[in-house]
């Protein structure tokens, strides 16, 4: 990673959390997107944010990372308007049990909560440790070729009706 982070301090309890941009930065969101796809073997993921400009940028970076995850050709659903974590999990269920990420920024502390396909927060055993290891070892989960690159799909609340 060009701008390393202390993964043990930042990536824990089912999320990545830290002060922007000192402890955590947009590049971490890219890594989390790619690593969530790889560790969950996900053909699709969803990402949403709380509407804060920093959260919105992190969500965009997360989506770009998720499209660049080895051979998965992941379809990344980006919820355009701000939603709650509960709304994101409902959307992810509607997509066919997609892993997801919910990004918030509260007074400069960015939090990226990560969920498995069942909507449960990732644990050390279900992906956090594997993601930490990928980042620590700088294993970039790039696509194997251009045909393996995923796509970003925008989702609006009215799409649910």
């Amino acid at each position: 990673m060009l701008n390393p982070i202390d993964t043990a301090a930042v990536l824990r309890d089912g999320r990545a959390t830290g002060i922007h941009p000192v402890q955590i930065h947009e590049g971490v969101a890219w890594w989390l997107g790619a690593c969530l796809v790889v560790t969950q073997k996900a053909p699709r993921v969803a990402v949403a944010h709380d509407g804060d400009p920093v959260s919105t940028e992190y969500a965009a970076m997360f989506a770009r990372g998720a499209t660049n995850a080895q051979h998965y050709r992941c379809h990344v659903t980006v919820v355009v308007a701000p939603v709650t974590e509960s709304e994101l999990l409902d959307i992810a269920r509607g997509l066919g049990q997609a892993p997801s990420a919910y990004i918030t920024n509260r007074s400069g502390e960015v939090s990226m909560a990560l969920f498995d396909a069942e909507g449960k927060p990732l644990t050390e055993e279900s992906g956090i440790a594997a993601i930490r290891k990928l980042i620590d070892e700088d294993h970039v989960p790039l696509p194997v070729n251009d045909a393996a690159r995923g796509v970003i799909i925008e989702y609006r609340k009215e799409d649910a009706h």
Side-chain angles (χ1 to χ4, degrees), residues 125-138:
E125 297 76 23
S126 69
I128 292 293
I131 290 171
R132 189 180 302 114
K133 183 176 180 189
L134 285 168
I135 294 171
D136 283 344
E137 295 178 358
D138 203 23

Side-chain angles (χ1 to χ4, degrees), residues 24-76:
I24 198 167
H25 52 82
E26 294 93 337
V28 176
W30 189 99
W31 270 92
L32 288 179
C35 291
L36 183 67
V37 170
V38 170
T39 60
Q40 301 299 298
K41 299 175 176 46
R44 73 172 29 102
V45 297
V47 60
H49 56 82
D50 62 1
D52 179 86
V54 172
S55 303
T56 304
E57 178 59 28
Y58 273 66
M61 287 296 287
F62 179 96
R64 280 182 256 166
T67 65
N68 286 290
Q70 294 177 345
H71 62 279
Y72 289 96
R73 200 164 186 262
C74 188
H75 289 159
V76 183

Side-chain angles (χ1 to χ4, degrees), residues 9-157:
V10 169
L11 192 54
R12 63 191 187 293
D13 302 327
R15 65 186 61 237
T17 304
I19 303 300
H20 167 79
V22 178
Q23 296 173 312
I24 198 167
H25 52 82
E26 294 93 337
V28 176
W30 189 99
W31 270 92
L32 288 179
C35 291
L36 183 67
V37 170
V38 170
T39 60
Q40 301 299 298
K41 299 175 176 46
R44 73 172 29 102
V45 297
V47 60
H49 56 82
D50 62 1
D52 179 86
V54 172
S55 303
T56 304
E57 178 59 28
Y58 273 66
M61 287 296 287
F62 179 96
R64 280 182 256 166
T67 65
N68 286 290
Q70 294 177 345
H71 62 279
Y72 289 96
R73 200 164 186 262
C74 188
H75 289 159
V76 183
T77 298
V78 177
V79 182
V80 177
V83 296
T84 65
E85 185 176 290
S86 175
E87 289 173 308
L88 166 65
L89 294 174
D90 287 342
I91 292 165
R93 270 191 294 282
L95 294 171
Q97 302 297 99
S100 58
Y102 185 67
I103 304 172
T104 60
N105 179 28
R106 293 187 178 91
S107 302
E109 182 172 272
V110 173
S111 179
M112 294 180 277
L114 303 172
F115 302 93
D116 67 15
E118 295 177 2
K120 296 178 185 168
L122 288 190
T123 64
E124 286 294 312
E125 297 76 23
S126 69
I128 292 293
I131 290 171
R132 189 180 302 114
K133 183 176 180 189
L134 285 168
I135 294 171
D136 283 344
E137 295 178 358
D138 203 23
H139 284 137
V140 181
L142 292 175
V144 293
N145 57 46
D146 283 341
R149 197 171 304 278
V151 296
I152 295 174
I153 302 158
E154 290 186 349
Y155 179 96
R156 290 171 171 63
K157 286 185 182 183

